[in-house]
Structures are given as structure tokens and as C-alpha cells.
Amino acid sequence: SLIDILADNGAINALRAKAAAGCRVRILISAPDSIWVRARAQALGQEEEDHVGHSPLALEIETARGYLEPLTSLGGVDLRQLYADPGQRILRFDDEMLISFHLAATPRPSTPLLHLRRQQHPGLFDQFAGHLDTLAAVAAPIEPAPEYYPDPRAHPDRYHPVTATPHHHL
């Protein structure tokens, strides 16, 4: 969901500025209605669902989508939602990458983090970069939908309280 990054007040502004400066910004998030999100929520022990069947994880993803809404119409920003099991969180910055693996029954703050730097071609970095490119190719583009995904800061009542609690990260 990237909620811990996107909820930071400066994150969206930084991404907007990077895109305006010519940087290519690509963000993939899981689709909240994906079977993979449901499976991940179950692995995290999230049996509770709201009145329309969303787990706390799905609600967290919808909140992240609300944070991303201002970027949907910007040039240089490619936002996509994934209907597949990503297996890990990958943050790529040119020739550096941070990878956090999703482990069953393990909350995000406790997952291992791998820091890769491109050292040689081909190498481990390029394998993960290729994986990320493949996921992006099958992910669906996100179209603007502010009526469905309003800014969480402007509409805190729209989102589930779990997503608004800063110390609770799934």
C-alpha cells in the first residue's frame, strides 16, 4: 500500500516536484479488491471486514490511493494497480533499490530489508528491476477518480480508523 511513505506530508509534494523536474515516477500498488490482498490480509490475521467486505489492509490500500489521487493527472507520473501477488515491496531509485519481503504472519516493521546497488550487469539488481518491469507491464493504469478516493487529510472520516493510526503499520 505504501501508506507509511505516502502519509508523510511531504511525500506527494516531493513526487510532484520530481516529475515536474523530468524524473520518471512509477508507482505500483495492489488493487484493494485483488484476491492477493485478501490472502495477505488473512495471512496477517485480519479476519475483520467492514460492511462492504474490505479488510483493514484493503482499506489501507484505498487510503493510499487517496494520497495518490493528486498525482493521477500529472505528466511523468505512471500510477498502476496490480492484480497479482507482488511478493515484496520494491522501492527503486536509479541504481539503488530497497526490497522488503512479505513474510506470512509478519507485520511490515519486522520484515527483512534488502538494499541493492547495481554493481554489474547482469546481476541481482537487474533481476529485481526486470521483475518490477514485468509487474508494471501487467498492472492496470490508475485513472483519476477523486470522487472515490478523496485526500485522506481533507476527509479523515472517509477512511477506516486503522489507516489513520500512525503507529499501526500492516
Side-chain angles (χ1 to χ4, degrees):
S1 74
L2 301 174
I3 194 70
D4 50 340
I5 296 169
L6 297 172
D8 180 276
N9 285 332
I12 297 301
N13 290 336
L15 291 169
R16 183 183 290 119
K18 291 288 187 183
C23 181
R24 180 178 152 210
V25 176
R26 181 172 62 187
I27 299 174
L28 305 176
I29 62 170
S30 292
D33 60 341
S34 166
I35 62 169
W36 302 106
V37 169
R38 183 176 298 274
R40 177 74 177 141
Q42 289 174 348
L44 289 169
Q46 295 181 1
E47 299 300 327
E48 288 186 34
E49 295 184 346
D50 68 3
H51 65 283
V52 292
H54 289 113
S55 67
L57 180 58
L59 291 167
E60 181 178 282
I61 293 168
E62 287 185 359
T63 304
R65 177 65 173 80
Y67 286 117
L68 291 169
E69 185 59 34
L71 302 177
T72 57
S73 59
L74 295 180
V77 177
D78 181 21
L79 300 174
R80 296 178 170 271
Q81 64 181 355
L82 191 60
Y83 284 93
D85 181 11
Q88 64 278 322
R89 171 196 263 192
I90 301 174
L91 303 173
R92 180 178 177 188
F93 314 92
D94 297 324
D95 289 338
E96 294 199 39
M97 197 179 293
L98 298 173
I99 304 166
S100 176
F101 297 92
H102 299 308
L103 302 178
T106 304
R108 186 176 325 147
S110 301
T111 60
L113 180 68
L114 180 63
H115 181 193
L116 296 179
R117 289 187 183 102
R118 179 179 274 145
Q119 299 291 322
Q120 62 186 19
H121 182 77
L124 189 57
F125 181 96
D126 294 304
Q127 286 181 299
F128 276 100
H131 170 69
L132 192 56
D133 290 341
T134 299
L135 291 177
V138 300
I142 292 177
E143 300 296 330
E147 65 279 6
Y148 295 116
Y149 302 102
D151 184 334
R153 286 180 279 270
H155 300 276
D157 57 321
R158 161 79 165 78
Y159 298 99
H160 193 276
V162 166
T163 62
T165 306
H167 67 278
H168 182 78
H169 296 291
L170 303 175

